[in-house]
Amino acid sequence: MTAGNDLGGVLRRWRERATPPHGGVVSCTRRRTPGMRRDELAAEAGVSAEYIKRLEQGRGRPSAGVLDALARAMRLSRPEYEYLCSLAGHVPPRIGRVPHEVGPGTRRLLERLGDIPICVLDAAWTLLAWNAAFEALCSASVLAVGRERNMAWCVFTGDPENMRGASGFPFQSAIVTDLRATALRYPDDDWLKDLVTDMQTASDDFAALWQSHADSRYRHHQVTVHHPDVGDVTVDCEIMTIHEGDLRAVIYTTEPGSVDSARLAIAQGQYTNQN
């Protein structure tokens, strides 16, 4: 079954269970079917009944504005509205700001994988939590305050000597793609709006990527982190989405037996001795 047919079937079922409007366009006639009729839904949503019919037959893709109107007319719950958006290929806006809560399951993950550097970011790429292995490797990030705790800001405007490999185009493009999706989900987050605006001013690379609307999903990356005592450590960087809380987990690993693995072990040993 195609996505269009999925959308049409769901729309029809929800229309048929919706409460008819009082004083609707044909409410004075006898009803043959339950719920709202197509012309009633069309009148409430500001579209034509023929358009509703086409959608239910899987022959159209409604705009975000039309979806909003349909959801209001059928009095959908928030989860139902988000599901309808997903069927139509739209990202529903979320109410409020980017969440910053790190759940207990994510914190247990950090504890269990204590020898692998892992940090957790919010959907705007601001550092929220980390394990001891990450702090041993990236102490400057842990000690940072304000916007310096935002990985996107640091990658595009920070010292390139700190994370040299992170300045590569694929990694930058992946960050911009994710930030753009985050901005669509949280249109009322003023902190995020200011971050994007200031990054466009501070970084020509960010501005070009943001305005190009390029779509680059996460891929495998290598990042070279400069440690003040052991020197450069090149790590494989994997970025995972934690759907609960809309978080990002950044995981650094090294090839076993490599020079980078040995340097990482030295950095972790120094951290353990100091703490």
Side-chain angles (χ1 to χ4, degrees), residues 116 134 270:
I116 299 175
F134 180 85
Q270 290 179 345

Side-chain angles (χ1 to χ4, degrees), residues 4-196:
N5 287 335
D6 286 341
L7 172 64
V10 169
L11 181 61
R12 184 179 62 255
R13 289 195 299 274
W14 286 353
R15 173 178 62 79
E16 291 175 349
R17 66 145 201 216
T19 302
H22 296 295
V25 291
V26 289
S27 59
C28 61
T29 62
R30 182 178 180 182
R31 293 184 175 274
R32 297 179 180 177
T33 58
M36 298 180 75
R37 292 171 172 158
R38 285 187 184 132
D39 46 3
E40 290 176 327
L41 177 57
E44 290 281 313
V47 296
S48 70
E50 180 61 28
Y51 181 68
I52 298 294
K53 181 179 180 180
R54 291 203 306 271
L55 290 181
E56 293 183 352
Q57 292 175 341
R59 296 191 290 121
R61 181 177 181 269
S63 67
V66 169
L67 283 178
D68 290 345
L70 291 173
R72 286 193 299 269
M74 294 186 293
R75 296 172 177 77
L76 299 185
S77 67
R78 181 69 190 186
E80 290 170 341
Y81 166 67
E82 292 182 354
Y83 181 56
L84 196 66
C85 286
S86 69
L87 291 177
H90 294 293
V91 178
R94 298 193 179 183
I95 300 172
R97 299 184 57 185
V98 172
H100 307 292
E101 297 297 322
V102 180
T106 300
R107 293 194 180 277
R108 284 194 293 270
L109 174 67
L110 292 174
E111 295 170 1
R112 292 288 182 89
L113 301 178
D115 58 341
I116 299 175
I118 303 177
C119 68
V120 176
L121 317 172
D122 64 19
W125 286 67
T126 298
L127 182 64
L128 299 178
W130 57 88
N131 62 3
F134 180 85
E135 185 169 353
L137 180 64
C138 305
S139 58
S141 298
V142 171
L143 296 174
V145 295
R147 234 177 224 175
E148 298 302 318
R149 292 177 72 87
N150 184 273
M151 185 177 289
W153 177 264
C154 292
V155 165
F156 282 97
T157 70
D159 182 1
E161 289 297 312
N162 187 39
M163 292 181 68
R164 278 191 279 269
S167 62
F169 175 80
F171 189 62
Q172 289 181 334
S173 184
I175 290 176
V176 172
T177 295
D178 193 52
L179 273 182
R180 185 181 294 109
T182 298
L184 290 173
R185 290 196 303 278
Y186 303 97
D188 298 327
D189 192 312
D190 291 334
W191 191 94
L192 177 59
K193 290 179 185 177
D194 291 342
L195 174 69
V196 171

